[in-house]
């Protein structure tokens, strides 16, 4: 079985973008791949998190993974902070990355451009992410479009390590869905839907009240025409809604366009609002069932054990190769 690995940061509430770009694809791969899926709580520390909120968001994210359909018996689900080896490998890999490479990462550049005061964690962010990935030798890393650049840097660093110290890491491939890899803000469809923007009208949260989520779809910005057609440059709003429709129904965009020939945006949006509402309702019902009791703690403990087993072996191998371990085998 080929292996996949991915993670999500527990910052803010989980969005429809996270669901369509990441969680839903994870669920669809779980029967075909050996999967490691984690909560990137160390990465969330790069921006201040109110401790009680961080705890809640972490718990919610694990619960939502499962509520969305990830089966803990098939997938190794864990918290990044439970596997200490990530931070250690992150240090070694950080020493292999150049300042130039790290400062070219869009996520870092955007923060600098906004003139925000940024911690060193944001700059070093990709090295920890490289460790998350390379630790497990995945064949694929399923992510949304915005994370592709990070996975590409990870490939470069893995190649650098392998050529300096001999073959150690598998070179991972980013896997970005053609449709749904970049869900846009409903009020500003030229901007990515993002959990860090608390402009909640343009962003649907998985735990939003169902009626609120429907309203957000119905009031999504479109254009002055009235035919449902996919054209991201000239009709970014409708194109974004078409991507949401297509991924949630597993239908092609062409097929959906056909269905709405001669019908206006109102009918299209009403139907999509129902589709989104019923998808969220399914997830929320299951979420309520699993957030009671100690079910999640048990899953995290079992997941951490499985992940640590792989991580310890890998880190020991790395440390032998680079000369940190002085004992002969
Ligand atoms: P994060 O938490 O920002 O996002 C989690 C996943 O959701 C995807 N995503 C989207 N996809 C489509 N449309 C959107 N609007 C949208 N918004 C977010 C992201 O692309 C991502 O796949 N650095 C990562 C977390 C991470 C990680 C890793 C991922 C840490 N280590 C190792 C993969 C492998 C992040 O901040 O994702």
């Amino acid at each position: 079985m080929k292996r996949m690995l991915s993670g999500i940061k527990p910052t803010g509430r989980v969005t429809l973008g996270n669901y369509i770009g990441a969680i839903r694809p994870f669920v669809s791969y779980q029967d075909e791949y050996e999967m490691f899926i984690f909560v990137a709580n160390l990465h969330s520390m790069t921006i201040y998190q109110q401790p009680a909120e961080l705890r809640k968001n972490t718990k919610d994210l694990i619960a939502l993974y499962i509520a969305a359909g990830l089966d803990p018996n098939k997938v190794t689900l864990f918290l990044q902070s439970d596997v200490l080896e990530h931070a250690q490998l992150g240090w070694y890999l950080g020493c292999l990355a150049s300042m130039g490479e790290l400062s070219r990462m869009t996520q870092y550049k955007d923060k600098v451009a906004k003139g925000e005061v940024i911690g060193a964690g944001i700059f070093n962010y990709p090295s920890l992410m490289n460790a998350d990935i390379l630790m497990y030798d995945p064949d694929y890393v399923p992510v949304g479009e915005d994370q592709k650049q990070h996975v590409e840097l990870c490939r470069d660093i893995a190649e650098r390590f392998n050529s300096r110290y001999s073959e150690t890491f598998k070179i991972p491939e980013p896997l970005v869905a053609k449709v749904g890899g970049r869900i846009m803000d409903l009020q500003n469809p030229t901007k990515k839907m993002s959990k860090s923007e608390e402009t909640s009208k343009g962003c649907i949260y998985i735990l939003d009240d169902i009626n609120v989520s429907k309203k957000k779809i119905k009031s999504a910005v479109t254009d002055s025409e009235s035919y449902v057609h996919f054209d991201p440059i000239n009709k970014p709003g409708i194109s974004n809604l078409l991507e949401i429709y297509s991924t949630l129904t597993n239908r092609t965009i062409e097929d959906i366009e056909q269905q709405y020939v001669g019908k206006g945006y109102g009918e299209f949006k009403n139907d999509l609002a129902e589709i989104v509402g019923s998808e969220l309702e399914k997830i929320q019902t299951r979420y309520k069932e699993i957030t009671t009791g100690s079910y999640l703690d048990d899953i995290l403990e079992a997941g951490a054990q499985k992940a640590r087993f792989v991580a310890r072996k890998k880190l020991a191998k790395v440390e032998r190769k680079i000369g940190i371990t002085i004992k002969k085998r």
Side-chain angles (χ1 to χ4, degrees):
M1 240 187 186
K2 293 212 168 181
R3 195 178 270 184
M4 273 191 186
L5 169 133
S6 198
I8 299 183
K9 288 193 304 279
T11 46
R13 291 175 283 161
V14 178
T15 69
L16 187 66
N18 297 134
Y19 177 64
I20 291 179
I23 301 176
R24 211 165 187 273
F26 300 165
V27 174
S28 75
Y29 296 131
Q30 68 182 337
D31 291 320
E32 277 170 78
Y33 294 88
E34 182 192 3
M35 299 198 64
F36 287 81
I37 301 292
F38 64 97
V39 173
N41 54 352
L42 298 180
H43 277 110
S44 73
M45 301 308 295
T46 52
I47 295 169
Y48 171 71
Q49 304 296 315
Q50 209 275 326
E53 248 172 57
L54 178 60
R55 266 189 286 275
K56 160 122 181 56
N57 290 336
T58 303
K59 223 175 160 190
D60 275 354
L61 182 50
I62 282 287
L64 285 174
Y65 276 150
I66 299 167
L70 279 182
D71 178 350
N73 295 315
K74 294 183 188 154
V75 175
T76 302
L77 281 179
F78 64 102
L79 296 187
Q80 187 185 30
S81 59
D82 276 344
V83 186
L84 304 183
E85 287 75 9
H86 286 228
Q88 181 115 347
L89 182 59
W91 172 257
Y92 300 137
L93 298 179
C95 294
L96 271 187
S98 73
M99 300 281 285
E101 279 168 325
L102 297 176
S103 52
R104 279 194 292 278
M105 294 296 106
T106 309
Q107 185 173 296
Y108 170 75
K109 282 203 307 197
D110 284 353
K111 293 243 165 12
V112 173
K114 281 190 198 149
E116 291 174 19
V117 177
I118 34 181
I122 289 278
F123 186 71
N124 291 320
Y125 187 110
S127 298
L128 179 60
M129 181 156 164
N130 293 341
D132 298 337
I133 299 172
L134 298 179
M135 188 76 89
Y136 299 90
D137 286 320
D139 297 278
Y140 299 106
V141 182
V143 281
E145 181 67 44
D146 63 326
Q147 294 298 318
K148 201 171 163 205
Q149 189 190 30
H150 283 150
V151 184
E152 271 154 10
L153 174 66
C154 178
R155 290 167 58 86
D156 292 344
I157 298 295
E159 273 162 11
R160 192 168 306 156
F161 189 103
N162 287 350
S163 75
R164 194 172 286 181
Y165 299 106
S166 84
E167 202 64 25
T168 307
F169 296 122
K170 190 171 249 177
I171 311 298
E173 292 273 350
L175 203 64
V176 180
K178 282 208 186 74
V179 177
R182 190 173 173 82
I183 297 299
M184 309 307 270
D185 188 281
L186 300 174
Q187 291 299 314
N188 178 1
T190 56
K191 203 181 101 227
K192 189 189 76 159
M193 183 182 282
S194 164
K195 57 186 168 210
S196 49
E197 310 282 336
E198 295 288 330
T199 54
S200 56
K201 255 189 100 186
C203 180
I204 292 183
Y205 301 99
I206 301 303
L207 294 176
D208 260 348
D209 175 87
I210 303 299
N211 287 325
V212 170
S213 73
K214 289 184 186 172
K215 269 200 203 115
K216 287 181 183 174
I217 292 286
K218 289 182 192 167
S219 54
V221 166
T222 49
D223 50 64
S224 54
E225 297 172 343
S226 61
Y227 66 106
V228 176
H229 174 62
F230 189 74
D231 177 354
I233 306 285
N234 300 309
K235 295 165 80 73
I238 277 295
S239 303
N240 187 40
L241 296 180
L242 270 166
E243 290 213 21
I244 297 173
Y245 199 131
S246 163
T247 50
L248 296 185
T249 56
N250 296 318
R251 288 174 55 192
T252 64
I253 287 183
E254 297 74 37
D255 186 27
I256 301 162
E257 283 173 339
Q258 275 301 315
Q259 181 185 335
Y260 291 95
V261 171
K263 297 175 182 165
Y265 288 168
E267 186 170 341
F268 170 72
K269 281 178 164 183
N270 281 342
D271 291 351
L272 179 59
E274 290 308 313
I275 291 165
V276 169
S278 76
E279 186 85 7
L280 298 197
E281 206 162 3
K282 266 191 297 185
I283 300 174
Q284 291 180 11
T285 307
R286 179 97 180 91
Y287 165 86
K288 282 180 199 133
E289 288 162 12
I290 55 186
T291 39
T292 49
S294 65
Y295 178 67
L296 294 181
D297 297 337
D298 297 344
I299 285 169
L300 288 180
E301 186 44 44
Q305 277 189 27
K306 279 202 259 171
R308 274 186 214 123
F309 181 79
V310 179
R312 283 185 183 154
K313 270 186 30 195
K314 193 69 179 185
L315 185 67
K317 183 172 184 182
V318 166
E319 292 189 326
R320 275 198 307 275
K321 292 218 179 186
I322 63 180
I324 282 279
T325 305
I326 53 173
K327 271 190 294 187
K328 284 242 170 78
R329 283 217 279 160

